[in-house]
Short mmCIF file of all heavy atoms in Angstrom, two decimals:
data_model
loop_
_atom_site.label_atom_id
_atom_site.label_comp_id
_atom_site.label_asym_id
_atom_site.label_seq_id
_atom_site.Cartn_x
_atom_site.Cartn_y
_atom_site.Cartn_z
N MET A 24 0.84 -1.17 0.00
CA MET A 24 0.00 0.00 0.00
C MET A 24 0.89 1.24 0.00
O MET A 24 1.81 1.36 0.79
CB MET A 24 -0.90 -0.03 1.24
CG MET A 24 -1.71 1.21 1.41
SD MET A 24 -2.95 1.10 2.72
CE MET A 24 -1.96 1.29 4.17
N ASP A 25 0.64 2.18 -0.88
CA ASP A 25 1.39 3.43 -0.94
C ASP A 25 0.83 4.41 0.08
O ASP A 25 -0.37 4.54 0.23
CB ASP A 25 1.28 4.07 -2.33
CG ASP A 25 2.01 3.27 -3.39
OD1 ASP A 25 3.02 2.63 -3.04
OD2 ASP A 25 1.57 3.28 -4.55
N GLU A 26 1.76 5.09 0.76
CA GLU A 26 1.34 6.14 1.68
C GLU A 26 1.37 7.46 0.93
O GLU A 26 2.34 7.80 0.30
CB GLU A 26 2.28 6.20 2.88
CG GLU A 26 2.21 4.95 3.74
CD GLU A 26 3.06 5.08 4.98
OE1 GLU A 26 2.91 6.09 5.67
OE2 GLU A 26 3.86 4.18 5.22
N LYS A 27 0.28 8.20 0.99
CA LYS A 27 0.17 9.48 0.27
C LYS A 27 1.01 10.54 0.96
O LYS A 27 0.96 10.71 2.17
CB LYS A 27 -1.28 9.91 0.20
CG LYS A 27 -1.46 11.21 -0.56
CD LYS A 27 -2.67 11.15 -1.43
CE LYS A 27 -2.94 12.48 -2.06
NZ LYS A 27 -2.09 12.79 -3.18
N ARG A 28 1.81 11.25 0.17
CA ARG A 28 2.62 12.36 0.67
C ARG A 28 2.13 13.65 0.06
O ARG A 28 1.64 13.67 -1.06
CB ARG A 28 4.09 12.18 0.25
CG ARG A 28 4.81 11.07 0.91
CD ARG A 28 6.29 11.09 0.54
NE ARG A 28 6.60 11.46 -0.81
CZ ARG A 28 6.68 10.61 -1.84
NH1 ARG A 28 6.44 9.35 -1.66
NH2 ARG A 28 7.01 11.03 -3.03
N GLY A 29 2.34 14.72 0.78
CA GLY A 29 2.06 16.03 0.22
C GLY A 29 3.09 16.36 -0.85
O GLY A 29 4.16 15.77 -0.90
N ASP A 30 2.77 17.29 -1.70
CA ASP A 30 3.67 17.71 -2.78
C ASP A 30 4.83 18.49 -2.20
O ASP A 30 4.65 19.46 -1.47
CB ASP A 30 2.89 18.56 -3.78
CG ASP A 30 3.68 18.92 -5.02
OD1 ASP A 30 4.91 18.67 -5.06
OD2 ASP A 30 3.07 19.44 -5.96
N VAL A 31 6.04 18.10 -2.54
CA VAL A 31 7.24 18.77 -2.03
C VAL A 31 7.29 20.24 -2.46
O VAL A 31 7.85 21.07 -1.77
CB VAL A 31 8.51 18.00 -2.45
CG1 VAL A 31 8.75 18.09 -3.93
CG2 VAL A 31 9.71 18.51 -1.69
N GLN A 32 6.68 20.56 -3.58
CA GLN A 32 6.69 21.94 -4.06
C GLN A 32 5.85 22.85 -3.17
O GLN A 32 5.95 24.06 -3.27
CB GLN A 32 6.22 22.00 -5.51
CG GLN A 32 7.21 21.33 -6.44
CD GLN A 32 6.74 21.34 -7.88
OE1 GLN A 32 5.59 21.64 -8.17
NE2 GLN A 32 7.64 20.99 -8.77
N GLU A 33 5.03 22.28 -2.31
CA GLU A 33 4.22 23.07 -1.39
C GLU A 33 4.98 23.44 -0.12
O GLU A 33 4.45 24.15 0.72
CB GLU A 33 2.95 22.30 -1.02
CG GLU A 33 2.02 22.08 -2.19
CD GLU A 33 0.82 21.22 -1.83
OE1 GLU A 33 0.70 20.80 -0.67
OE2 GLU A 33 0.00 20.98 -2.73
N LEU A 34 6.20 22.96 0.03
CA LEU A 34 6.98 23.23 1.24
C LEU A 34 7.70 24.57 1.12
O LEU A 34 8.22 24.92 0.06
CB LEU A 34 8.00 22.12 1.48
CG LEU A 34 7.43 20.72 1.68
CD1 LEU A 34 8.56 19.72 1.87
CD2 LEU A 34 6.47 20.68 2.85
N SER A 35 7.76 25.26 2.23
CA SER A 35 8.50 26.53 2.27
C SER A 35 10.01 26.23 2.38
O SER A 35 10.41 25.11 2.70
CB SER A 35 8.05 27.36 3.47
OG SER A 35 8.50 26.74 4.68
N ASP A 36 10.81 27.25 2.16
CA ASP A 36 12.25 27.09 2.32
C ASP A 36 12.59 26.66 3.74
O ASP A 36 13.47 25.82 3.95
CB ASP A 36 12.98 28.39 1.98
CG ASP A 36 12.97 28.71 0.49
OD1 ASP A 36 12.68 27.81 -0.32
OD2 ASP A 36 13.25 29.88 0.15
N PHE A 37 11.90 27.23 4.72
CA PHE A 37 12.17 26.86 6.11
C PHE A 37 11.79 25.41 6.38
O PHE A 37 12.53 24.68 7.07
CB PHE A 37 11.44 27.80 7.08
CG PHE A 37 11.77 27.51 8.51
CD1 PHE A 37 13.02 27.82 9.02
CD2 PHE A 37 10.84 26.91 9.35
CE1 PHE A 37 13.35 27.53 10.34
CE2 PHE A 37 11.16 26.63 10.67
CZ PHE A 37 12.41 26.95 11.16
N GLU A 38 10.65 24.96 5.85
CA GLU A 38 10.25 23.57 6.03
C GLU A 38 11.27 22.63 5.39
O GLU A 38 11.58 21.57 5.94
CB GLU A 38 8.85 23.33 5.46
CG GLU A 38 7.78 23.99 6.31
CD GLU A 38 6.44 24.09 5.63
OE1 GLU A 38 6.36 24.02 4.38
OE2 GLU A 38 5.44 24.25 6.36
N LEU A 39 11.82 23.02 4.25
CA LEU A 39 12.87 22.21 3.63
C LEU A 39 14.12 22.17 4.49
O LEU A 39 14.79 21.14 4.58
CB LEU A 39 13.20 22.73 2.23
CG LEU A 39 12.13 22.46 1.17
CD1 LEU A 39 12.46 23.21 -0.12
CD2 LEU A 39 12.00 20.97 0.90
N THR A 40 14.44 23.27 5.15
CA THR A 40 15.58 23.31 6.06
C THR A 40 15.37 22.33 7.22
O THR A 40 16.28 21.57 7.58
CB THR A 40 15.79 24.74 6.61
OG1 THR A 40 16.11 25.59 5.52
CG2 THR A 40 16.90 24.79 7.65
N VAL A 41 14.18 22.33 7.78
CA VAL A 41 13.86 21.40 8.87
C VAL A 41 13.91 19.96 8.35
O VAL A 41 14.49 19.08 8.99
CB VAL A 41 12.48 21.73 9.50
CG1 VAL A 41 12.07 20.66 10.51
CG2 VAL A 41 12.51 23.10 10.14
N TYR A 42 13.34 19.71 7.19
CA TYR A 42 13.37 18.37 6.59
C TYR A 42 14.82 17.90 6.42
O TYR A 42 15.16 16.76 6.75
CB TYR A 42 12.64 18.36 5.24
CG TYR A 42 12.67 17.01 4.58
CD1 TYR A 42 11.66 16.08 4.82
CD2 TYR A 42 13.71 16.64 3.73
CE1 TYR A 42 11.69 14.82 4.23
CE2 TYR A 42 13.75 15.39 3.14
CZ TYR A 42 12.74 14.49 3.40
OH TYR A 42 12.78 13.24 2.83
N GLU A 43 15.66 18.76 5.89
CA GLU A 43 17.06 18.41 5.66
C GLU A 43 17.78 18.08 6.96
O GLU A 43 18.60 17.17 7.02
CB GLU A 43 17.78 19.52 4.91
CG GLU A 43 17.32 19.63 3.46
CD GLU A 43 17.87 20.86 2.74
OE1 GLU A 43 18.63 21.65 3.36
OE2 GLU A 43 17.55 21.02 1.56
N ALA A 44 17.49 18.83 8.02
CA ALA A 44 18.10 18.55 9.32
C ALA A 44 17.66 17.18 9.84
O ALA A 44 18.48 16.40 10.32
CB ALA A 44 17.73 19.65 10.32
N VAL A 45 16.38 16.88 9.72
CA VAL A 45 15.89 15.56 10.13
C VAL A 45 16.52 14.47 9.26
O VAL A 45 16.96 13.43 9.77
CB VAL A 45 14.34 15.49 10.06
CG1 VAL A 45 13.84 14.07 10.31
CG2 VAL A 45 13.72 16.47 11.05
N ALA A 46 16.61 14.70 7.96
CA ALA A 46 17.19 13.71 7.04
C ALA A 46 18.65 13.43 7.39
O ALA A 46 19.09 12.28 7.33
CB ALA A 46 17.07 14.20 5.60
N GLU A 47 19.39 14.45 7.75
CA GLU A 47 20.79 14.28 8.12
C GLU A 47 20.94 13.38 9.34
O GLU A 47 21.81 12.51 9.39
CB GLU A 47 21.43 15.65 8.38
CG GLU A 47 22.91 15.62 8.58
CD GLU A 47 23.70 15.17 7.36
OE1 GLU A 47 23.26 15.40 6.23
OE2 GLU A 47 24.79 14.58 7.55
N ILE A 48 20.07 13.56 10.31
CA ILE A 48 20.10 12.73 11.52
C ILE A 48 19.58 11.33 11.21
O ILE A 48 20.15 10.33 11.66
CB ILE A 48 19.27 13.40 12.64
CG1 ILE A 48 19.95 14.71 13.04
CG2 ILE A 48 19.08 12.48 13.82
CD1 ILE A 48 19.09 15.63 13.87
N ASP A 49 18.52 11.25 10.41
CA ASP A 49 17.90 9.97 10.08
C ASP A 49 18.83 9.07 9.27
O ASP A 49 18.82 7.85 9.44
CB ASP A 49 16.60 10.21 9.31
CG ASP A 49 15.84 8.93 9.00
OD1 ASP A 49 16.17 8.29 7.99
OD2 ASP A 49 14.93 8.58 9.78
N LYS A 50 19.68 9.64 8.42
CA LYS A 50 20.54 8.82 7.56
C LYS A 50 21.50 7.96 8.36
O LYS A 50 21.94 6.92 7.89
CB LYS A 50 21.29 9.67 6.53
CG LYS A 50 22.48 10.40 7.07
CD LYS A 50 23.21 11.14 5.97
CE LYS A 50 24.48 11.76 6.53
NZ LYS A 50 25.23 12.45 5.51
N ASP A 51 21.80 8.38 9.58
CA ASP A 51 22.66 7.60 10.46
C ASP A 51 21.86 6.71 11.42
O ASP A 51 22.40 6.17 12.36
CB ASP A 51 23.58 8.53 11.26
CG ASP A 51 24.56 9.29 10.37
OD1 ASP A 51 25.01 8.71 9.35
OD2 ASP A 51 24.88 10.45 10.69
N GLY A 52 20.55 6.62 11.17
CA GLY A 52 19.69 5.77 11.98
C GLY A 52 19.14 6.43 13.23
O GLY A 52 18.54 5.78 14.06
N GLY A 53 19.32 7.73 13.35
CA GLY A 53 18.82 8.45 14.52
C GLY A 53 17.48 9.09 14.27
O GLY A 53 16.93 9.05 13.17
N ALA A 54 16.95 9.67 15.32
CA ALA A 54 15.70 10.42 15.25
C ALA A 54 15.99 11.82 15.77
O ALA A 54 16.74 12.00 16.73
CB ALA A 54 14.61 9.75 16.09
N ALA A 55 15.43 12.82 15.12
CA ALA A 55 15.69 14.22 15.45
C ALA A 55 14.72 14.69 16.53
O ALA A 55 13.52 14.75 16.31
CB ALA A 55 15.54 15.09 14.21
N ASP A 56 15.25 15.03 17.70
CA ASP A 56 14.41 15.59 18.76
C ASP A 56 14.44 17.11 18.68
O ASP A 56 15.31 17.69 18.03
CB ASP A 56 14.83 15.08 20.13
CG ASP A 56 16.26 15.48 20.47
OD1 ASP A 56 16.52 16.68 20.67
OD2 ASP A 56 17.13 14.58 20.52
N ILE A 57 13.51 17.75 19.35
CA ILE A 57 13.38 19.21 19.24
C ILE A 57 14.63 19.92 19.78
O ILE A 57 15.04 20.94 19.23
CB ILE A 57 12.08 19.72 19.92
CG1 ILE A 57 11.82 21.18 19.57
CG2 ILE A 57 12.14 19.50 21.42
CD1 ILE A 57 11.51 21.44 18.12
N GLY A 58 15.26 19.38 20.80
CA GLY A 58 16.48 20.00 21.33
C GLY A 58 17.59 20.03 20.29
O GLY A 58 18.27 21.05 20.12
N THR A 59 17.77 18.93 19.60
CA THR A 59 18.79 18.85 18.55
C THR A 59 18.45 19.79 17.41
O THR A 59 19.32 20.50 16.90
CB THR A 59 18.92 17.40 18.04
OG1 THR A 59 19.28 16.55 19.15
CG2 THR A 59 19.97 17.29 16.96
N LEU A 60 17.19 19.80 17.01
CA LEU A 60 16.80 20.65 15.89
C LEU A 60 16.97 22.14 16.22
O LEU A 60 17.41 22.90 15.37
CB LEU A 60 15.36 20.36 15.47
CG LEU A 60 15.15 18.99 14.82
CD1 LEU A 60 13.68 18.72 14.61
CD2 LEU A 60 15.92 18.89 13.51
N THR A 61 16.66 22.54 17.45
CA THR A 61 16.83 23.95 17.79
C THR A 61 18.31 24.34 17.84
O THR A 61 18.65 25.49 17.59
CB THR A 61 16.14 24.32 19.12
OG1 THR A 61 16.60 23.47 20.16
CG2 THR A 61 14.63 24.23 18.99
N ARG A 62 19.18 23.39 18.16
CA ARG A 62 20.63 23.67 18.12
C ARG A 62 21.13 23.76 16.68
O ARG A 62 22.01 24.56 16.37
CB ARG A 62 21.41 22.60 18.88
CG ARG A 62 21.35 22.77 20.39
CD ARG A 62 22.34 21.87 21.11
NE ARG A 62 22.15 20.45 20.82
CZ ARG A 62 21.28 19.66 21.42
NH1 ARG A 62 20.47 20.14 22.33
NH2 ARG A 62 21.20 18.38 21.10
N LEU A 63 20.59 22.93 15.79
CA LEU A 63 21.04 22.91 14.39
C LEU A 63 20.47 24.04 13.55
O LEU A 63 21.11 24.51 12.61
CB LEU A 63 20.67 21.57 13.74
CG LEU A 63 21.38 20.33 14.26
CD1 LEU A 63 20.78 19.09 13.63
CD2 LEU A 63 22.87 20.42 13.99
N ILE A 64 19.24 24.44 13.89
CA ILE A 64 18.54 25.44 13.08
C ILE A 64 18.36 26.68 13.94
O ILE A 64 17.71 26.64 14.98
CB ILE A 64 17.15 24.92 12.64
CG1 ILE A 64 17.30 23.61 11.87
CG2 ILE A 64 16.42 25.96 11.82
CD1 ILE A 64 16.00 22.86 11.69
N GLU A 65 18.92 27.76 13.52
CA GLU A 65 18.81 29.00 14.30
C GLU A 65 17.48 29.67 14.00
O GLU A 65 17.38 30.56 13.15
CB GLU A 65 19.99 29.90 13.99
CG GLU A 65 21.31 29.32 14.43
CD GLU A 65 22.49 30.23 14.17
OE1 GLU A 65 22.29 31.40 13.83
OE2 GLU A 65 23.62 29.74 14.30
N ALA A 66 16.46 29.19 14.72
CA ALA A 66 15.11 29.72 14.55
C ALA A 66 14.35 29.46 15.85
O ALA A 66 14.72 28.58 16.63
CB ALA A 66 14.41 29.03 13.38
N PRO A 67 13.30 30.23 16.09
CA PRO A 67 12.49 30.00 17.30
C PRO A 67 11.90 28.59 17.32
O PRO A 67 11.50 28.05 16.27
CB PRO A 67 11.38 31.05 17.20
CG PRO A 67 11.93 32.11 16.28
CD PRO A 67 12.81 31.38 15.32
N GLU A 68 11.85 28.01 18.50
CA GLU A 68 11.33 26.66 18.66
C GLU A 68 9.91 26.52 18.11
O GLU A 68 9.58 25.51 17.48
CB GLU A 68 11.36 26.25 20.13
CG GLU A 68 10.96 24.82 20.38
CD GLU A 68 11.10 24.40 21.83
OE1 GLU A 68 12.11 24.76 22.47
OE2 GLU A 68 10.20 23.70 22.31
N GLU A 69 9.08 27.55 18.31
CA GLU A 69 7.70 27.45 17.82
C GLU A 69 7.65 27.37 16.28
O GLU A 69 6.77 26.73 15.72
CB GLU A 69 6.82 28.58 18.35
CG GLU A 69 7.28 29.98 18.02
CD GLU A 69 8.22 30.60 19.05
OE1 GLU A 69 8.72 29.90 19.95
OE2 GLU A 69 8.47 31.80 18.93
N ASP A 70 8.60 28.01 15.60
CA ASP A 70 8.66 27.91 14.14
C ASP A 70 9.06 26.51 13.71
O ASP A 70 8.53 25.97 12.73
CB ASP A 70 9.64 28.93 13.55
CG ASP A 70 9.18 30.36 13.72
OD1 ASP A 70 8.01 30.59 14.10
OD2 ASP A 70 10.00 31.27 13.47
N ILE A 71 9.98 25.91 14.45
CA ILE A 71 10.40 24.54 14.15
C ILE A 71 9.25 23.58 14.38
O ILE A 71 8.98 22.70 13.56
CB ILE A 71 11.65 24.16 14.96
CG1 ILE A 71 12.83 25.05 14.55
CG2 ILE A 71 11.99 22.68 14.78
CD1 ILE A 71 14.06 24.92 15.42
N TRP A 72 8.52 23.76 15.50
CA TRP A 72 7.35 22.91 15.77
C TRP A 72 6.31 23.03 14.66
O TRP A 72 5.72 22.04 14.23
CB TRP A 72 6.70 23.25 17.11
CG TRP A 72 7.37 22.61 18.29
CD1 TRP A 72 8.02 23.23 19.31
CD2 TRP A 72 7.46 21.21 18.58
NE1 TRP A 72 8.50 22.31 20.20
CE2 TRP A 72 8.16 21.06 19.78
CE3 TRP A 72 7.01 20.07 17.92
CZ2 TRP A 72 8.43 19.81 20.35
CZ3 TRP A 72 7.28 18.83 18.48
CH2 TRP A 72 7.98 18.71 19.68
N ALA A 73 6.08 24.25 14.18
CA ALA A 73 5.10 24.46 13.11
C ALA A 73 5.54 23.73 11.84
O ALA A 73 4.72 23.09 11.17
CB ALA A 73 4.91 25.95 12.84
N ALA A 74 6.82 23.82 11.51
CA ALA A 74 7.34 23.12 10.33
C ALA A 74 7.22 21.61 10.51
O ALA A 74 6.80 20.89 9.59
CB ALA A 74 8.79 23.52 10.06
N LEU A 75 7.57 21.11 11.69
CA LEU A 75 7.45 19.67 11.96
C LEU A 75 6.01 19.21 11.83
O LEU A 75 5.74 18.14 11.27
CB LEU A 75 7.98 19.35 13.35
CG LEU A 75 9.48 19.46 13.55
CD1 LEU A 75 9.83 19.40 15.04
CD2 LEU A 75 10.23 18.39 12.76
N SER A 76 5.09 20.02 12.33
CA SER A 76 3.67 19.68 12.24
C SER A 76 3.22 19.57 10.78
O SER A 76 2.54 18.61 10.39
CB SER A 76 2.84 20.73 12.97
OG SER A 76 1.47 20.48 12.82
N HIS A 77 3.61 20.55 9.97
CA HIS A 77 3.22 20.52 8.56
C HIS A 77 3.89 19.35 7.83
O HIS A 77 3.24 18.65 7.05
CB HIS A 77 3.57 21.84 7.88
CG HIS A 77 3.12 21.89 6.46
ND1 HIS A 77 3.98 21.98 5.40
CD2 HIS A 77 1.87 21.82 5.91
CE1 HIS A 77 3.30 21.97 4.28
NE2 HIS A 77 2.02 21.87 4.55
N LEU A 78 5.17 19.12 8.09
CA LEU A 78 5.88 18.02 7.44
C LEU A 78 5.29 16.67 7.84
O LEU A 78 5.20 15.75 7.02
CB LEU A 78 7.37 18.07 7.78
CG LEU A 78 8.14 19.22 7.13
CD1 LEU A 78 9.46 19.46 7.84
CD2 LEU A 78 8.36 18.93 5.64
N THR A 79 4.86 16.55 9.09
CA THR A 79 4.24 15.31 9.55
C THR A 79 2.86 15.12 8.93
O THR A 79 2.52 14.03 8.45
CB THR A 79 4.16 15.29 11.09
OG1 THR A 79 5.48 15.43 11.62
CG2 THR A 79 3.55 14.00 11.60
N SER A 80 2.07 16.19 8.89
CA SER A 80 0.74 16.08 8.30
C SER A 80 0.79 15.80 6.80
O SER A 80 -0.11 15.17 6.26
CB SER A 80 -0.10 17.33 8.59
OG SER A 80 0.38 18.44 7.88
N ALA A 81 1.86 16.24 6.15
CA ALA A 81 2.04 15.97 4.72
C ALA A 81 2.70 14.61 4.48
O ALA A 81 2.95 14.22 3.34
CB ALA A 81 2.88 17.07 4.07
N ASN A 82 3.01 13.88 5.56
CA ASN A 82 3.59 12.54 5.52
C ASN A 82 5.04 12.53 5.04
O ASN A 82 5.54 11.51 4.59
CB ASN A 82 2.73 11.59 4.68
CG ASN A 82 2.92 10.14 5.09
OD1 ASN A 82 3.24 9.85 6.23
ND2 ASN A 82 2.74 9.23 4.16
N HIS A 83 5.73 13.66 5.15
CA HIS A 83 7.15 13.70 4.82
C HIS A 83 7.99 13.24 6.00
O HIS A 83 9.10 12.75 5.83
CB HIS A 83 7.59 15.11 4.41
CG HIS A 83 7.01 15.55 3.11
ND1 HIS A 83 7.24 14.91 1.92
CD2 HIS A 83 6.18 16.58 2.81
CE1 HIS A 83 6.59 15.52 0.94
NE2 HIS A 83 5.93 16.54 1.47
N LEU A 84 7.47 13.42 7.22
CA LEU A 84 8.14 12.98 8.45
C LEU A 84 7.17 12.16 9.28
O LEU A 84 5.96 12.30 9.16
CB LEU A 84 8.59 14.19 9.29
CG LEU A 84 9.59 15.15 8.69
CD1 LEU A 84 9.91 16.26 9.70
CD2 LEU A 84 10.86 14.45 8.26
N HIS A 85 7.75 11.31 10.13
CA HIS A 85 6.97 10.57 11.11
C HIS A 85 7.50 10.90 12.49
O HIS A 85 8.71 11.05 12.67
CB HIS A 85 7.08 9.06 10.88
CG HIS A 85 6.37 8.59 9.66
ND1 HIS A 85 6.54 7.33 9.14
CD2 HIS A 85 5.47 9.19 8.84
CE1 HIS A 85 5.79 7.18 8.06
NE2 HIS A 85 5.13 8.29 7.87
N SER A 86 6.60 10.97 13.45
CA SER A 86 6.98 11.19 14.84
C SER A 86 7.11 9.84 15.53
O SER A 86 6.24 8.98 15.39
CB SER A 86 5.90 12.03 15.52
OG SER A 86 6.22 12.22 16.88
N THR A 87 8.22 9.65 16.26
CA THR A 87 8.44 8.42 17.02
C THR A 87 8.68 8.80 18.47
O THR A 87 8.76 9.98 18.81
CB THR A 87 9.66 7.64 16.49
OG1 THR A 87 10.85 8.37 16.83
CG2 THR A 87 9.59 7.43 14.98
N GLY A 88 8.84 7.81 19.31
CA GLY A 88 9.13 8.07 20.72
C GLY A 88 10.46 8.77 20.93
O GLY A 88 10.66 9.47 21.92
N GLU A 89 11.38 8.62 19.99
CA GLU A 89 12.70 9.24 20.10
C GLU A 89 12.78 10.59 19.42
O GLU A 89 13.71 11.36 19.65
CB GLU A 89 13.78 8.32 19.49
CG GLU A 89 14.03 7.06 20.29
CD GLU A 89 13.06 5.96 19.91
OE1 GLU A 89 12.72 5.83 18.73
OE2 GLU A 89 12.61 5.23 20.82
N GLY A 90 11.88 10.88 18.49
CA GLY A 90 11.91 12.13 17.74
C GLY A 90 11.31 11.94 16.36
O GLY A 90 10.46 11.08 16.16
N PHE A 91 11.78 12.73 15.42
CA PHE A 91 11.24 12.70 14.06
C PHE A 91 12.18 11.98 13.11
O PHE A 91 13.40 12.12 13.20
CB PHE A 91 10.98 14.13 13.57
CG PHE A 91 9.88 14.80 14.33
CD1 PHE A 91 10.13 15.47 15.51
CD2 PHE A 91 8.57 14.73 13.88
CE1 PHE A 91 9.11 16.08 16.23
CE2 PHE A 91 7.55 15.33 14.58
CZ PHE A 91 7.82 16.00 15.77
N VAL A 92 11.59 11.19 12.21
CA VAL A 92 12.33 10.48 11.18
C VAL A 92 11.65 10.72 9.84
O VAL A 92 10.52 11.20 9.79
CB VAL A 92 12.39 8.96 11.47
CG1 VAL A 92 13.16 8.67 12.76
CG2 VAL A 92 10.99 8.35 11.55
N LEU A 93 12.34 10.38 8.76
CA LEU A 93 11.77 10.55 7.44
C LEU A 93 10.57 9.63 7.25
O LEU A 93 10.58 8.49 7.67
CB LEU A 93 12.79 10.24 6.36
CG LEU A 93 14.02 11.16 6.30
CD1 LEU A 93 14.91 10.71 5.16
CD2 LEU A 93 13.62 12.61 6.13
N GLY A 94 9.60 10.15 6.55
CA GLY A 94 8.47 9.33 6.11
C GLY A 94 8.84 8.70 4.78
O GLY A 94 10.01 8.74 4.36
N PRO A 95 7.89 8.12 4.09
CA PRO A 95 8.18 7.54 2.78
C PRO A 95 8.66 8.63 1.83
O PRO A 95 8.12 9.75 1.84
CB PRO A 95 6.84 6.96 2.33
CG PRO A 95 5.82 7.70 3.11
CD PRO A 95 6.47 8.10 4.40
N HIS A 96 9.68 8.34 1.07
CA HIS A 96 10.21 9.37 0.17
C HIS A 96 10.94 8.73 -1.01
O HIS A 96 11.45 7.63 -0.93
CB HIS A 96 11.16 10.31 0.91
CG HIS A 96 12.34 9.63 1.51
ND1 HIS A 96 12.23 8.88 2.66
CD2 HIS A 96 13.62 9.56 1.11
CE1 HIS A 96 13.42 8.39 2.94
NE2 HIS A 96 14.27 8.77 2.03
N ASP A 97 10.96 9.48 -2.10
CA ASP A 97 11.70 9.05 -3.28
C ASP A 97 12.56 10.20 -3.79
O ASP A 97 12.96 10.23 -4.93
CB ASP A 97 10.76 8.53 -4.37
CG ASP A 97 9.71 9.55 -4.76
OD1 ASP A 97 9.74 10.69 -4.27
OD2 ASP A 97 8.83 9.20 -5.57
N TRP A 98 12.83 11.14 -2.93
CA TRP A 98 13.69 12.26 -3.26
C TRP A 98 14.59 12.53 -2.08
O TRP A 98 14.27 12.21 -0.96
CB TRP A 98 12.90 13.51 -3.64
CG TRP A 98 11.88 13.96 -2.64
CD1 TRP A 98 10.64 13.43 -2.43
CD2 TRP A 98 12.03 14.99 -1.67
NE1 TRP A 98 10.00 14.09 -1.43
CE2 TRP A 98 10.83 15.07 -0.94
CE3 TRP A 98 13.04 15.89 -1.36
CZ2 TRP A 98 10.62 15.97 0.10
CZ3 TRP A 98 12.83 16.81 -0.33
CH2 TRP A 98 11.63 16.82 0.37
N ALA A 99 15.74 13.08 -2.35
CA ALA A 99 16.72 13.37 -1.29
C ALA A 99 16.91 14.86 -1.16
O ALA A 99 16.76 15.59 -2.13
CB ALA A 99 18.05 12.69 -1.62
N PRO A 100 17.24 15.32 0.04
CA PRO A 100 17.47 16.75 0.23
C PRO A 100 18.75 17.20 -0.46
O PRO A 100 19.61 16.44 -0.75
CB PRO A 100 17.58 16.90 1.74
CG PRO A 100 17.88 15.56 2.29
CD PRO A 100 17.40 14.57 1.29
#
């Protein structure tokens, strides 16, 4: 069964920055927590949460007990 993803062209530059940060952590088998993301991305925590929310609702990211990981994807940052 294919999982539906939102269109990547609908993402803002900031959302792509957040996605790329999560992808960098995920490629090594980790999950990106909010503390790590706020250290990597110089932006207010509430902006990062908003981007994570949109990326998760668009199925680009998944939330786990450890943090955020990539959802189904066929493109790389």
Side-chain angles (χ1 to χ4, degrees):
M24 174 171 77
D25 291 329
E26 294 185 50
K27 182 139 173 78
R28 290 186 323 271
D30 187 350
V31 69
Q32 294 178 348
E33 295 176 0
L34 300 178
S35 70
D36 289 343
F37 184 71
E38 289 166 339
L39 288 171
T40 297
V41 173
Y42 179 90
E43 289 172 0
V45 173
E47 188 65 30
I48 295 166
D49 184 276
K50 78 176 185 179
D51 295 326
D56 61 69
I57 191 66
T59 301
L60 291 172
T61 55
R62 283 191 302 277
L63 293 173
I64 303 166
E65 294 182 11
E68 185 175 318
E69 58 270 12
D70 292 349
I71 296 171
W72 278 116
L75 289 168
S76 176
H77 184 244
L78 289 162
T79 301
S80 70
N82 205 28
H83 292 298
L84 298 181
H85 289 168
S86 178
T87 70
E89 291 85 38
F91 292 87
V92 296
L93 296 181
H96 60 284
D97 55 5
W98 54 281

